[in-house]
Amino acid sequence: MTAQHGIWNDAPDAALLVAYANGDPSAAQVLTARLLPRVLAQATRMLSDQAEAEDVAQDALMRLWKIAPDWRQDEAQVSTWLYRVVANLCTDRLRKRRGVPLDQIAEPADPQRGVEVQMQDTARLRALSDALAQLPDRQAQAVSLRHLQGMGNPEIAEIMDISLRSVESLTARGKRALTDILQGRKAALGYDDDEP
Amino acid sequence: MTNRDDDMIDDLFGLAQSQTPTPSDDLMARILADAAAVQPSVASASPPQAGFVQSLMDLIGGWPSVGGLAMAGVAGMWVGFAPPTVVSDWTAELVGTPVTIDMLGSTDSYFSESMIDG
């Protein structure tokens, strides 16, 4: 972050978005540096595919840039809006995976870890993502926000614009469904030993 | 569902949460290029478009002005229907005394006779 961005460092996201809409050239850099890691993490955890996650992150931020001139500061927080957009974009992509056999596992990306362990982790993450793809969209979104993002139910309720009771129901049913889907793959994923 | 099933799913959730990818420079560059491509320029930046009614309200000065306009309208109608004497005097001075010309005098009597006869 350069000194010229210093004035924006403590500014709320919405103020940066307004500055961007008003033509400030540095606002987009500060916003991207602030929001992109969260957006990319959410997409990566849901999709377990680096290229797809990057596409979703780029798409989500493009939507943010486009909505900036019409952004109403009293409507929602930028981060809440982005979580919602990313969740929707990810479930769109997961939906297309339904019925497609698991035959594409990304290569290990971290050279520090043992290749075997890395491959097993990658297979497990992909299996989780593919199981997520089998759930109804709203269940997949609620489960991913709760268990992959580690959010609290009130925050999820705000992002998904539903009641707390609905969040509890969706996450409980979603987790149970995921467990059922993955039960048949325990051995293949290395969960047949005493220790996972 | 057994505890070991829960262990598996919780382990998978934990594994997923541990993923904290660092955005690549290439991704950052692509996103900033997008931002620059669709960013409104300073010259074209305009305040949010308001509706027609709101624009009209802004033009005349908001609700207080609308209240004043409404009062003036009501007062105008009142003067039109029941002009105070002083207004009648002023109009007489300005435009002269109005003269009424009865263009339908004979027709009136015709209608009156017809109605009586009928």
Side-chain angles (χ1 to χ4, degrees):
Chain A
M1 192 76 51
T2 60
Q4 68 180 18
H5 302 151
I7 56 167
W8 292 121
N9 283 346
D10 297 325
D13 295 342
L16 282 163
L17 203 55
V18 171
Y20 166 78
N22 286 329
D24 188 298
S26 61
Q29 293 177 37
V30 180
L31 263 179
T32 304
R34 187 184 292 179
L35 301 172
L36 181 57
R38 268 182 281 167
V39 167
L40 187 62
Q42 184 187 1
T44 302
R45 291 167 188 172
M46 284 187 79
L47 298 171
S48 196
D49 181 302
Q50 185 185 338
E52 275 199 298
E54 289 192 351
D55 285 348
V56 164
Q58 187 175 1
D59 194 355
L61 284 169
M62 179 57 120
R63 288 169 192 235
L64 183 66
W65 308 137
K66 285 184 175 173
I67 204 174
D70 303 316
W71 186 262
R72 287 190 291 178
Q73 295 196 49
D74 55 340
E75 198 169 70
Q77 287 194 352
V78 175
S79 58
T80 303
W81 183 88
L82 262 180
Y83 276 123
R84 186 182 306 150
V85 168
V86 172
N88 285 331
L89 290 172
C90 286
T91 43
D92 285 347
R93 284 176 180 260
L94 288 175
R95 205 179 304 125
K96 291 172 187 164
R97 270 193 214 169
R98 289 176 193 163
V100 177
L102 175 59
D103 58 357
Q104 293 174 338
I105 296 174
E107 290 299 314
D110 184 356
Q112 301 298 317
R113 302 190 63 185
V115 172
E116 206 170 308
V117 173
Q118 180 70 39
M119 285 186 73
Q120 187 177 57
D121 284 354
T122 304
R124 286 175 171 181
L125 289 169
R126 180 67 191 210
L128 176 63
S129 178
D130 286 348
L132 209 56
Q134 306 304 314
L135 303 187
D137 289 355
R138 302 294 276 172
Q139 269 186 34
Q141 289 174 5
V143 166
S144 67
L145 291 170
R146 177 73 186 87
H147 296 292
L148 307 188
Q149 293 300 116
M151 288 180 174
N153 288 352
E155 199 174 0
I156 298 169
E158 191 183 351
I159 290 168
M160 295 185 66
D161 197 20
I162 55 177
S163 68
L164 275 174
R165 185 184 290 269
S166 298
V167 173
E168 289 164 6
S169 169
L170 284 171
T171 50
R173 281 186 287 141
K175 184 178 177 182
R176 201 160 49 240
L178 276 183
T179 307
D180 290 344
I181 292 167
L182 289 166
Q183 207 170 13
R185 302 197 59 197
K186 282 176 79 171
L189 296 174
Y191 284 107
D192 52 350
D193 300 328
D194 288 334
E195 294 299 322
Chain B
M1 186 185 301
T2 65
N3 286 338
R4 288 187 61 190
D5 291 334
D6 282 340
D7 288 346
M8 176 183 69
I9 199 75
D10 289 338
D11 181 67
L12 288 171
F13 287 153
L15 195 60
Q17 277 200 38
S18 69
Q19 291 183 290
T20 51
T22 305
S24 66
D25 292 342
D26 175 60
L27 177 61
M28 188 74 95
R30 272 156 48 198
I31 287 171
L32 289 177
D34 284 347
V38 297
Q39 183 171 27
S41 64
V42 178
S44 68
S46 57
Q49 294 293 310
F52 172 74
V53 174
Q54 188 60 47
S55 303
L56 194 62
M57 294 282 283
D58 292 344
L59 192 67
I60 61 177
W63 283 110
S65 302
V66 173
L69 279 174
M71 283 296 291
V74 170
M77 284 184 68
W78 179 255
V79 169
F81 279 114
T85 312
V86 63
V87 174
S88 302
D89 292 347
W90 285 345
T91 38
E93 273 185 37
L94 286 171
V95 299
T97 307
V99 176
T100 304
I101 302 172
D102 187 358
M103 302 288 287
L104 300 172
S106 55
T107 317
D108 282 349
S109 60
Y110 169 77
F111 280 127
S112 303
E113 285 166 14
S114 301
M115 287 173 71
I116 293 166
D117 290 346

